[in-house]
């Protein structure tokens, strides 16, 4: 069982940051690098137990962090493998398998029966979606750089 503390320490060691304390600055660095908090990593680790059993060797929290770093940063696998100190093949093996394992959690993690929590009483439907990559029509006569996505390099919400 891997705790949030273990994920936090593993992430900080990977980033060459001293782990003297658990503070907001270090937590923000963790989230900026891996895209989620250590407690969420721990939950995903527990939920991916059966798929981890099918992986070669004995997967460790750093292997899951490889997949999260890949999904968050969109960096070349060769460069990320070097940053994690593993071969490209090892990085690709664990990153791809953990990405698949995490994506297969959708039915277990998205709780549609709780979708009206904090919703106005008049709402018939209520869901929140991260729409930072949604393309949109741009009125080029009124260009607004704040409505462009750095990921798609195109007008987006």
């Amino acid at each position: 069982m891997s705790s949030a503390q273990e994920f936090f320490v593993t992430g900080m060691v990977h980033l060459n940051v001293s782990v003297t304390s658990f503070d907001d600055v270090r937590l923000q660095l963790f989230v900026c690098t891996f895209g989620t908090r250590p407690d969420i990593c721990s939950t995903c680790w527990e939920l991916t137990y059966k798929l981890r059993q099918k992986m070669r060797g004995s997967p460790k929290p750093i292997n899951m962090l490889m997949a999260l770093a890949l999904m968050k940063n969109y960096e070349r696998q060769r460069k990320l493998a070097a940053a994690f100190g593993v071969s490209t093949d090892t990085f690709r093996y664990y990153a791809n398998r953990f990405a698949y394992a995490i994506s297969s959690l959708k039915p277990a993690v998205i709780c549609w029966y709780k979708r009206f929590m904090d919703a106005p009483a008049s709402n018939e439907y209520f869901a929140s979606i991260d729409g930072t990559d949604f393309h949109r029509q741009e009125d080029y006569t009124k260009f607004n750089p704040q409505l462009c996505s750095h990921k798609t390099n195109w007008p987006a919400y």
Side-chain angles (χ1 to χ4, degrees), residues 47 100-113:
L47 292 172
Y100 172 78
I102 292 168
S103 70
S104 69
L105 296 176
K106 288 187 298 189
V109 176
I110 299 174
C111 301
W112 286 108
Y113 64 90

Side-chain angles (χ1 to χ4, degrees), residues 58-125:
S58 178
K60 297 172 180 50
I62 192 71
N63 301 129
M64 179 182 252
L65 292 178
M66 289 177 189
L68 293 172
L70 177 65
M71 290 187 282
K72 171 67 176 169
N73 298 308
Y74 302 108
E75 189 60 71
R76 293 186 181 270
Q77 290 183 4
R78 195 176 29 224
K79 189 173 180 181
L80 284 170
F84 278 92
V86 297
S87 71
T88 305
D89 289 338
T90 300
F91 180 86
R92 188 176 295 123
Y93 177 84
Y94 284 111
N96 289 344
R97 279 162 181 75
F98 271 108
Y100 172 78
I102 292 168
S103 70
S104 69
L105 296 176
K106 288 187 298 189
V109 176
I110 299 174
C111 301
W112 286 108
Y113 64 90
K114 294 183 180 179
R115 69 185 177 276
F116 292 109
M117 194 176 295
D118 298 327
S122 62
N123 281 25
E124 189 172 333
Y125 303 100

Side-chain angles (χ1 to χ4, degrees), residues 19-38:
V19 194
T20 56
S21 65
F22 185 89
D23 59 14
D24 289 341
V25 174
R26 287 180 177 86
L27 181 61
Q28 184 177 13
L29 178 62
F30 186 96
V31 172
C32 286
T33 305
F34 302 112
T36 190
R37 299 184 322 262

